[in-house]
Amino acid sequence: MKIFVVGAGIGGLSLAWALRERGHSVSVFEKGAIPNPVSSSWDEHRMTRHAYGSLTSYARMMPQAFRRWDRIWQAIGNAHYDPVGAVYIIREENDWCRETSASLDELGIGYRYLTQAEFRERLPMVSSQNVSKVLATEGAGMLHASRILNGLCVWLSQNDVRLAAYTPVEEIDADHGRIRLSDGWVEADLVVVTAGAWVLDLIPELRSDLNPSRQSVLYLAPPKQYASAWTKAPVIVDTSKECENYALPPRNGTRLKIGDHVFTYRGLPDDPRLASDEDLTRLRRAIAGGYNDAAEYAEIERKACYYAVRDDERFIVKSIGDKAHVVSACSGHGFKLQPLITEGLADAIDGKRTFDDVRSWAYGSDIAR
């Protein structure tokens, strides 16, 4: 089957890999470079985990997702994953720990609550103000995102996948499997749109389900007194309303990154990607409340990224017309799960599963495989 994939983030590249493994003829179209450095997939590192709170269906997917990543490591020849574990800082009592521990028990993933002494020794950089619990989990770490995307690009180019960079798709004919480029229409048997935050430009009818959201990230140089602790740190997630943020430590050639997970529901993906002081107001406040000596951290890069998001943070896999599908992650947790979700879509394209089954499963309402 001749298949066009529109968008070359982790969704598009992992789908192209899954389809090419199954013997399909695949072309990937991207409006920028491949990989595109302004896509939401492009980054030094991204978090992966089994801890998902009330989103238990996605927690149950994670063992399969880790196995799918193992297949990618085999294909590209490198395991771009640091299993550093994760620590969750709980400053306000809620149901998240109870829901998460139930899922981890079910999955057999190790976890424990740190004592105050263990917390202060292991994470001296984290403020202990109002901390009620500190949950440390296994089955978590960092995916080195840009290295993964580059590795997939190399594999695809070596396996007869056409990579059409700087080739924006202007329109999709979902009923006839066609896309319109600057020089006219080209046709395939099937079109799959994996365009991330740009998906609404191509499929405006999804506006009732999705919103673009501008998210802020800071790369920091920690002060000398915490430099050693950060190099040995796990991924850190602060769940409190005032200090909500995630921190990925400087490991294996990466920098310390602290990001804001609170959706802004504003902006457009073609807007400038240099985060403004206004963009960073909430994140800087969270860092000041969550980390000791926060004023001593040097900001070495500020960045804005975009997601197409929905309030429930669930994946969309949807058929549009007779010859097109769309995949949208709808949250910052998309990177870790995308290769598994696109494998499911590739199975549906090959008739191994029904599209309704994959749609329901990706949404999180059916976790049976």
Side-chain angles (χ1 to χ4, degrees), residues 1-61:
M1 188 182 295
K2 182 180 181 181
I3 302 174
F4 291 163
V5 176
V6 181
I10 186 60
L13 296 180
S14 65
L15 176 62
W17 169 61
L19 293 171
R20 187 67 191 115
E21 278 199 317
R22 289 159 169 77
H24 297 288
S25 172
V26 184
S27 297
V28 179
F29 296 86
E30 169 58 52
K31 66 186 298 182
I34 299 180
N36 190 339
V38 298
S39 72
S40 57
S41 293
W42 180 265
D43 207 346
E44 291 182 13
H45 36 18
R46 300 290 293 271
M47 182 180 181
T48 188
R49 65 191 190 278
H50 287 81
Y52 259 101
S54 61
L55 294 173
T56 55
S57 56
Y58 290 127
R60 290 168 181 154
M61 285 185 186

Side-chain angles (χ1 to χ4, degrees), residues 116-365:
Q116 286 294 322
E118 289 173 326
F119 167 46
R120 287 192 293 270
E121 180 179 0
R122 187 176 182 188
L123 300 173
M125 72 289 268
V126 177
S127 170
S128 61
Q129 185 174 4
N130 299 324
V131 171
S132 62
K133 295 177 182 175
V134 180
L135 177 64
T137 73
E138 300 173 5
M142 303 188 304
L143 295 165
H144 293 284
S146 56
R147 301 176 196 175
I148 292 167
L149 298 180
N150 283 327
L152 283 170
C153 282
V154 171
W155 188 94
L156 295 171
S157 66
Q158 292 174 342
N159 286 273
D160 301 319
V161 172
R162 178 191 175 200
L163 299 176
Y166 305 106
T167 309
V169 173
E170 299 178 359
E171 187 179 352
I172 293 171
D173 180 349
D175 288 322
H176 299 94
R178 300 191 303 164
I179 60 175
R180 183 165 62 85
L181 308 177
S182 60
D183 56 353
W185 290 93
V186 290
E187 187 172 345
D189 298 305
L190 185 70
V191 176
V192 184
V193 181
T194 59
W198 287 272
V199 69
L200 298 176
D201 294 341
L202 296 170
I203 311 175
E205 58 264 37
L206 289 179
R207 292 187 188 280
S208 60
D209 291 321
L210 302 176
N211 291 284
S213 188
R214 183 176 174 91
Q215 304 298 127
S216 298
V217 170
L218 282 171
Y219 295 89
L220 305 167
K224 185 176 181 180
Q225 63 267 32
Y226 301 127
S228 177
W230 271 116
T231 63
K232 296 178 282 189
V235 172
I236 299 171
V237 179
D238 196 317
T239 67
S240 65
K241 293 179 181 177
E242 289 300 313
C243 300
E244 186 173 1
N245 70 86
Y246 60 90
L248 279 74
R251 295 257 193 137
N252 196 15
T254 65
R255 298 171 292 175
L256 168 61
K257 179 179 80 173
I258 301 184
D260 190 352
H261 182 63
V262 176
F263 295 155
T264 67
Y265 298 105
R266 63 180 179 84
L268 296 171
D270 286 325
D271 290 345
R273 296 308 185 92
L274 179 64
S276 67
D277 286 335
E278 180 184 0
D279 289 325
L280 293 167
T281 298
R282 208 211 69 84
L283 179 57
R284 284 173 172 160
R285 186 171 62 243
I287 292 171
Y291 296 93
N292 295 320
D293 303 318
E296 298 181 34
Y297 285 73
E299 294 183 5
I300 55 179
E301 186 180 356
R302 56 169 69 176
K303 184 168 87 166
C305 59
Y306 276 89
Y307 302 123
V309 304
R310 51 190 288 158
D311 289 340
D312 63 13
E313 301 188 46
R314 294 178 181 271
F315 275 83
I316 289 176
V317 175
K318 184 175 183 179
S319 297
I320 50 173
D322 294 328
K323 293 187 176 183
H325 308 294
V326 61
V327 180
S328 185
C330 306
S331 168
H333 66 225
F335 195 98
K336 64 183 70 66
L337 279 163
Q338 276 283 26
L340 180 65
I341 299 296
T342 53
E343 179 192 30
L345 179 56
D347 283 345
I349 290 170
D350 271 2
K352 296 178 180 178
R353 301 175 67 181
T354 68
F355 284 103
D356 282 345
D357 167 50
V358 172
R359 175 188 56 78
S360 176
W361 166 74
Y363 182 78
S365 55

Side-chain angles (χ1 to χ4, degrees), residues 83-140:
V84 298
V87 166
Y88 299 86
I89 310 298
I90 313 298
R91 301 179 193 271
E92 300 157 355
E93 289 297 328
N94 53 47
D95 291 333
W96 189 88
C97 281
R98 177 182 56 78
E99 294 164 338
T100 295
S101 60
S103 292
L104 297 180
D105 284 337
E106 176 185 330
L107 297 171
I109 302 297
Y111 68 92
R112 67 187 185 90
Y113 291 96
L114 301 184
T115 66
Q116 286 294 322
E118 289 173 326
F119 167 46
R120 287 192 293 270
E121 180 179 0
R122 187 176 182 188
L123 300 173
M125 72 289 268
V126 177
S127 170
S128 61
Q129 185 174 4
N130 299 324
V131 171
S132 62
K133 295 177 182 175
V134 180
L135 177 64
T137 73
E138 300 173 5

